[in-house]
Amino acid sequence: MMAAGQHGIGRIDYEGRDARAPRLQHASVRRVAACFLPYWRLILAIMGVVIASAALGVLPPLIMKAIIDDAIPAGDLGRLTALVGAMVGAAVLAGLAQVLENWLNLRIGQRVMYDLRNALYARVQAMSLRFFTATRTGEIMSRLLNDVNGVQEVVTRSLVNVANNVVIVLAVSAVMLSINWKLAIVSLAVLPLFILPVRTAGRIRSQIARETQGRMAEVSARMQESLGINGILLMKVFGRQQLELERFREANRALMELQIRQGLVGRWFQMFVGLFGTVSPALIFWYGGWEVVNGSLTVGGVVAFTAYIARIYTPISQLVNVQIDLLASLGLFERIFEYIDLEPDVVERPGALRPPPARGQVRFDGVWFAYDGAAPVQAGPSTTPAGPAAKREPASGPTDPGWSSGDGASASAPAVERAAEPGRSGAADGFALADVSFAVEPGQLVALVGPSGAGKTTITYLIPRLYDPTRGTVSIDGHDLREVSLAWIAEQIAVVPQETFLFHTTVRENLRFGNPTATEEQIVAAARAANIHDVIASLPAGYDTVVGERGFRLSGGERQRIAIARAILKDPRIIILDEATASLDSRSERLVQEALERLMAGRTSIVIAHRLSTVLSADRILVLDRGRIVQSGTHAQLLAEGGLYAQLYREQFERGAAAPPPEASVGEQALAPASGQLPA
């Protein structure tokens, strides 16, 4: 769990559950008001229009009073015509003012929503992988869409409504008091009965609104998981559509019940407001009739009072609902602010260095890493951390669905320059990596091997600074990654994951993700180097063919070669590769391997090795087990040494693959069957 910031909003865990009971705070109100502050000029303009509109709204009853009391009794047809024309003109001007109000209102509201979405997206995008591995995508999408949309309607309609209705109520009340203060008091005496309970109703609705958005996030997350291409494939092959449908119905039913409750809160006030619309005119006619009989009020005054009561009825009704909606929307604003206030655990320091392009040296010095981040992040010597250890992430722990090696929580680690000390073959409790040190020189190929959960993928996560080490230092060309620009790090590194992710767009746009400024010639050249140009050219629209969600319209080998072409376009100095070709046919595997050889040529390459030919050609093989490097050397050296590497080698080839003799030359060994796969 991470702090949600220091803004008084509270705490939130990475699964989106609030760690405190919802309550309204003055800080929230001030913060919501601050969202509108950049548009103060538009707000002043809208206030001017509101005042003009309110003034126009009080004119018709006064004109009606003058017609009844003066023009008609005097038989003055000219004055009657002028007054009627004034009444029509006031209505036309009021309508135009309403149009202008709506235009200004929408401008302000939509700009605020635009700012909130941008702030939310930027904050979520800045979070490290720890956030995304602990938070469902549907929950994130719900915050970005449902929560912002939940306040959008209130924001876009309430600014004008509140101001307009308050001004109308004040203006109408003032006119009524000027006509006959006694009748005005009688008419307005019932208003507190509708206003006093609003605060309580608003608090109830605010809490229900937060619960509703939380349930909506759950429904959204379930839809995203089950209706994504991977989820739907899993449901169909296991025949679990009915099970998922029942789960969805249960979550949807809970959402429905909350939305019904939310819709009903405060609606019983409508009964009293409607009753007010009937009782108040009756009181006016009763008391006003006495005043007319006594000569204290004219018939036109009674009619004007009745019209004003009808005029004040709508603003009061809307104010009751708007206040409830505003109070409820504060709960949604707080949910939005909770995400905006999340503090990334991987941040760029002020004044971060931006060195020249890297030569490609990668170094780990005494690196410890725990996925829950419990230990303090600090650079330091290779020592066992003091204090209670963090809980070890299970083998199935956080992995990026687009960068998976079968490692589970522990990710692959590049090769260490020394073998582990005797008796220290296991990582300390709670750490995916324990005291890892190694260096990869520019242009070297280092292969990472080891059983599942050994720590291979974790190392590949630390090199592009997707996480920071709990202790120790990761550096490129001698620069601690915490001291340099995140953009500089990204420019030096390209990743070809085991499970290639492609966007639901054209082949060209997927390739340009590696280099947005790439020319058509560069794109074609990269595709040729990756052995994928002929395939792309044969597609219905060539490079303009849409690949479908996650690229599922292409085969696994084709997706991998597009990922390689994307990396070639980026032209990095460091390549991180999770090499997985076991699921490919022999021809696709050969094409992928050729493309990878072109990609890695002359570059520093750190490869989670699955293929025998990769470990044979590696400058060094690093063998990991339970977060430590237990062996380091070439293929021949490690076979002669025995230990874990020799065991993994024997287990693989005992399943039927023909192993080349260890004394064969590297060139001869590279001709071994491509099906020889080492476990990751």
Side-chain angles (χ1 to χ4, degrees), residues 514-598:
N515 180 4
T517 62
T519 64
E520 188 69 17
E521 292 74 17
Q522 290 173 321
I523 291 172
V524 172
R528 290 186 185 279
N531 288 336
I532 193 63
H533 171 73
D534 291 341
V535 173
I536 297 173
S538 68
L539 295 174
Y543 283 84
D544 293 318
T545 301
V546 176
V547 299
E549 184 177 358
R550 298 181 66 88
F552 266 79
R553 293 180 64 183
L554 303 173
S555 71
E558 290 165 351
R559 291 198 300 272
Q560 280 193 319
R561 280 177 277 161
I562 286 179
I564 293 168
R566 184 168 58 192
I568 291 173
L569 270 179
K570 189 175 183 181
D571 191 23
R573 290 303 308 149
I574 300 169
I575 295 293
I576 297 174
L577 171 64
D578 190 347
E579 181 190 56
T581 55
S583 61
L584 303 180
D585 59 77
S586 58
R587 181 177 182 276
S588 294
E589 183 176 352
R590 177 178 58 80
L591 292 171
V592 168
Q593 188 61 25
E594 289 176 0
L596 288 174
E597 290 171 359
R598 297 189 187 108

Side-chain angles (χ1 to χ4, degrees), residues 75 108 156 195 226 233 246 281 304 316 346 374 387 402 417 495 530 604 638 671:
I108 296 170
T156 55
I195 297 172
S226 61
L233 281 174
E246 289 302 321
I316 292 175
V346 175
E417 292 193 322
V495 177
T604 302
L638 294 177
L671 298 177

